[in-house]
């Protein structure tokens, strides 16, 4: 099989190194990492199983290799290449470029033991950051949502040691109901609801976790929470129950949509019917969102070695939002919480 | 003229609002901002001069508009669209999509007074952050390069109030000679050379500044610096002189490469010949790197209203790197430092 990648994570998966200006070309058993002079020294040290080629015009180098090896067909993912890249790669070569969606995601969907170890460590470090940030929050009454959203990153990144897998969400009360809320200047007060959704990267592998918590005397992000409002407590207990049902009921061999349904049914059978407005989860690996996507329409069969989030939620616009999210790996036919 | 944009800054320039899932379609005097339900509320409040259309399938909506208005030709920048987008936009429509490189950059190259005001404010806030960070550095002997690279972001962003225009570079001694150095665990010590390159965004407009400084008793990022090493001081004075020559000599009507030559000549006429390994500068606006590019090959004519950096440098691998960078706007035929 011949194929070409440009996406940083797709390239990293192939050879253990990546940078923001590279074409990775696989031609049968041979592979080429084509990059510019800024990266060749590092690439030569770290790339495994591919020849590093330094070039000023990367696309010209690809065309040369295609011609020299008389390549007939090369697969590519049309998401990874701009029209400009594509024109440069295909100009004047006889090779047929065959679009293959999700080329890298499909190869990455079953995680190796080594990948699972990296993801586990990422999840562990992320969970520790939730705990240290919770201790900081205990002493943070009166600080604004915006300042706290910013401070969260210090704990998550351990002062820059780890990259974040996405811009964390720190939302109070009704802001927790908005998927894209910009943090406000509203001060954190006793009695508030806090939704915190964050993740880090360890050796490039992402983690992702959400907790919803009551800001009272004894604050923590643990799953047992006591809200003053009966309505919120009811919603919280349902989300927790929905998450447990999906984790306990998920089996290898099920379709993704059947796992989604395990959680969705519990919310839709309650007075909060219709308030779980997004999908149950998504795969996590080198990308924070990758296959498998766990939603109400996806017939993909779930298999051992897949890693994904389980994150049901209830959102009442103008009032509150609740979400609980953990990552699982399928092992021996069941979902094991990471 | 008909054209289509997807890039966030290109879209923002057209209508004063943007988001990460939008097609902006200009058909003669009409314009359409096509986005998904997550953004329509905000878009309707903020988009100027374009009709906001909510769609689940954005590309299908574009095709519908092209058909309905019997559009023959649409310009697009091939950098902005992935092969996947392009296929979706063009599937089954009679419209011819005509590639036009740098479509938005070319429209944005001359800044309006209002844009210059935003950029000025961005530069000002950035300069203030350099000063507060310098005060912090005075008390930071022994802290690692990595920790300081991280702490810099607190001052630049003012605890999250402003976005950064790029990941700042904080490099000590020989690390300052590497354009892509990863910050190390090496502690900052008296006698070190510090290179700091950073910028923020104000109302989406970027700033960009670099200072090189000696870490002695009286530390600051001002341009007058006294290094203990004669060689470094010589290099520093040359870089400063090269920058002044470019700022003082630049005229509207010159070609970009002539401005580059003003600075390059001074370094290449010295014992540091060949150590200024990058271009003199780049345009700055909504993008941190945009037109005009000030390098040794570009024949673009520089005009009043253009905004760009002037940033000569001397790099001695394994020893040190020096760069001094400011932004200028061309006004009344001359370069005015922002």
């Amino acid at each position: 099989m011949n194929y070409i990648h440009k996406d940083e994570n797709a390239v990293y998966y192939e050879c253990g190194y990546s940078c923001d200006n590279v074409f990775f070309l696989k031609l049968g058993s041979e592979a080429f990492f084509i990059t510019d002079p800024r990266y060749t020294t590092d690439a030569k040290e770290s790339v495994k199983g591919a020849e590093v080629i330094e070039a000023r015009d990367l696309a010209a180098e690809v065309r040369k290799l295609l011609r020299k090896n008389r390549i007939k067909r090369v697969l590519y993912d049309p998401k990874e290449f701009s029209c400009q890249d594509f024109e440069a790669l295909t100009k004047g070569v006889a090779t047929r470029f065959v679009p293959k969606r999700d080329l890298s995601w499909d190869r990455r969907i079953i995680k190796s033991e080594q990948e699972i170890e990296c993801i586990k460590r990422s999840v562990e470090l992320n969970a520790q950051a939730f705990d240290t940030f919770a201790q900081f929050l205990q002493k943070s009454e009166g600080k604004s949502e915006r300042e706290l959203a910013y401070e969260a990153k210090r704990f998550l990144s351990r002062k820059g040691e780890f990259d974040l897998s996405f811009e964390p969400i720190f939302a109070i009360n009704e802001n927790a109901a908005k998927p894209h809320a910009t943090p406000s200047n509203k001060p954190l007060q006793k009695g508030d609801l806090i939704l915190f959704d964050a993740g880090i990267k360890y050796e490039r592998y992402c983690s992702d976790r959400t907790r919803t918590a009551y800001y009272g005397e004894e604050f923590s992000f643990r799953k047992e929470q006591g809200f003053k409002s009966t309505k919120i407590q009811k919603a919280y207990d349902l989300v927790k129950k929905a998450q447990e049902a999906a984790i306990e009921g998920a089996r290898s061999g099920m379709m993704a949509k059947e796992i989604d349904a395990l959680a969705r049914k519990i919310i839709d059978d309650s007075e909060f019917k219709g308030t779980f407005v997004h999908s149950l989860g998504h795969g996590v690996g080198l990308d924070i969102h990758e296959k498998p996507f766990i939603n109400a329409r996806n017939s993909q069969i779930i298999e051992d070695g897949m890693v994904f989030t389980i994150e049901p939620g209830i959102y009442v616009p103008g009032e509150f939002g609740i979400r609980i999210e953990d990552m699982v790996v399928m092992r021996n036919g069941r979902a094991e919480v990471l």
Side-chain angles (χ1 to χ4, degrees), chain A:
Chain A
M1 192 167 73
N2 307 322
Y3 53 86
I4 185 164
H5 283 303
K6 180 192 167 76
D7 175 77
E8 282 199 51
N9 285 332
V11 172
Y12 178 81
Y13 185 74
E14 298 292 328
C15 65
Y17 178 76
S18 201
C19 63
D20 65 5
N21 193 31
V22 56
F23 289 122
F24 179 90
L25 184 62
K26 179 89 176 173
L27 300 178
S29 61
E30 284 191 299
F32 304 92
F33 186 102
I34 302 149
T35 188
D36 72 58
R38 292 174 299 169
Y39 299 111
T40 33
T41 311
D42 282 357
K44 279 177 182 163
E45 273 174 32
S46 306
V47 166
K48 285 176 213 81
E51 184 187 335
V52 176
I53 298 180
E54 181 175 307
R56 292 269 167 194
D57 182 343
L58 276 51
E61 198 59 37
V62 171
R63 296 195 307 266
K64 208 164 85 184
L65 285 162
L66 294 175
R67 271 195 221 100
K68 195 178 119 190
N69 294 281
R70 298 165 190 268
I71 301 300
K72 293 219 175 71
R73 275 166 52 103
V74 166
L75 300 181
Y76 76 102
D77 184 338
K79 273 198 306 298
E80 278 183 49
F81 298 87
S82 73
C83 297
Q84 184 167 308
D85 289 329
F86 191 74
E87 199 202 311
L89 289 168
T90 55
K91 195 170 50 188
V93 292
T95 312
R96 194 157 68 94
F97 279 70
V98 180
K100 177 85 179 71
R101 289 211 182 179
D102 302 334
L103 179 57
S104 181
W105 275 358
D106 284 340
R107 289 165 57 78
R108 281 149 52 188
I109 193 167
I110 306 285
K111 268 66 181 172
S112 70
E113 281 307 312
Q114 202 190 335
E115 289 184 287
I116 293 168
E117 281 313 305
C118 282
I119 295 172
K120 261 193 179 153
R121 185 72 186 132
S122 184
V123 169
E124 213 170 82
L125 289 163
N126 194 37
Q128 285 168 12
F130 270 63
D131 290 343
T132 50
F133 181 48
Q135 285 163 27
F136 176 81
L137 285 173
Q138 283 171 4
K139 305 164 292 180
S140 295
E141 195 179 349
K143 287 193 178 144
S144 74
E145 203 178 43
R146 198 174 61 195
E147 185 177 348
L148 292 168
Y150 178 77
E151 292 290 351
K153 295 194 259 189
R154 180 155 54 94
F155 295 96
L156 294 163
S157 75
R158 307 207 181 187
K159 294 193 176 178
E161 190 177 345
F162 300 108
D163 286 335
L164 306 187
S165 29
F166 56 93
E167 192 64 21
I169 296 169
F170 179 86
I172 298 174
N173 300 334
E174 72 275 15
N175 268 359
K178 299 184 202 163
H180 286 257
T182 314
S184 74
N185 285 319
K186 209 172 45 172
L188 176 64
Q189 289 177 320
K190 285 282 187 300
D192 282 347
L193 171 150
I194 291 174
L195 183 149
F196 183 50
D197 184 351
I200 64 147
K201 293 187 195 187
Y202 175 75
E203 305 270 328
R204 298 185 78 113
Y205 281 86
C206 298
S207 49
D208 194 355
R209 163 187 293 241
T210 308
R211 291 290 182 268
T212 309
Y214 178 75
Y215 192 62
E217 288 311 316
E218 299 250 315
F219 179 76
S220 88
F221 281 124
R222 68 167 181 273
K223 285 196 186 169
E224 289 64 44
Q225 293 287 332
F227 294 89
K228 282 273 158 26
S229 147
T230 321
K231 185 178 178 185
I232 295 179
Q233 188 66 44
K234 217 173 201 174
Y236 185 84
D237 292 340
L238 271 166
V239 171
K240 192 160 160 284
K241 199 175 147 195
Q243 202 212 24
E244 285 160 4
I247 293 170
E248 282 161 25
R251 293 287 181 280
S252 297
M254 273 184 173
M255 290 185 283
K257 64 184 176 188
E258 293 176 290
I259 299 177
D260 181 278
L262 292 170
R264 196 167 303 277
K265 187 176 183 324
I266 287 169
I267 293 167
D268 281 349
D269 281 351
S270 79
E271 65 196 272
F272 293 99
K273 183 175 163 61
T275 62
F276 175 23
V277 291
H278 54 70
S279 56
L280 181 64
H282 54 86
V284 179
L286 292 168
D287 285 326
I288 180 66
H289 296 113
E290 55 178 58
K291 288 188 167 182
F293 293 100
I294 314 294
N295 59 45
R297 300 163 308 284
N298 190 358
S299 312
Q300 167 129 42
I301 300 296
I302 298 306
E303 294 175 51
D304 273 15
M306 290 185 182
V307 170
F308 51 90
T309 67
I310 297 192
E311 47 175 314
I314 286 178
Y315 307 91
V316 182
E319 292 186 44
F320 64 86
I322 288 161
R323 182 165 64 253
I324 306 175
E325 174 185 32
D326 288 283
M327 283 169 57
V328 300
V329 56
M330 298 305 294
R331 280 220 207 251
N332 305 314
R334 289 171 161 268
E336 187 182 302
V337 176
L338 286 168

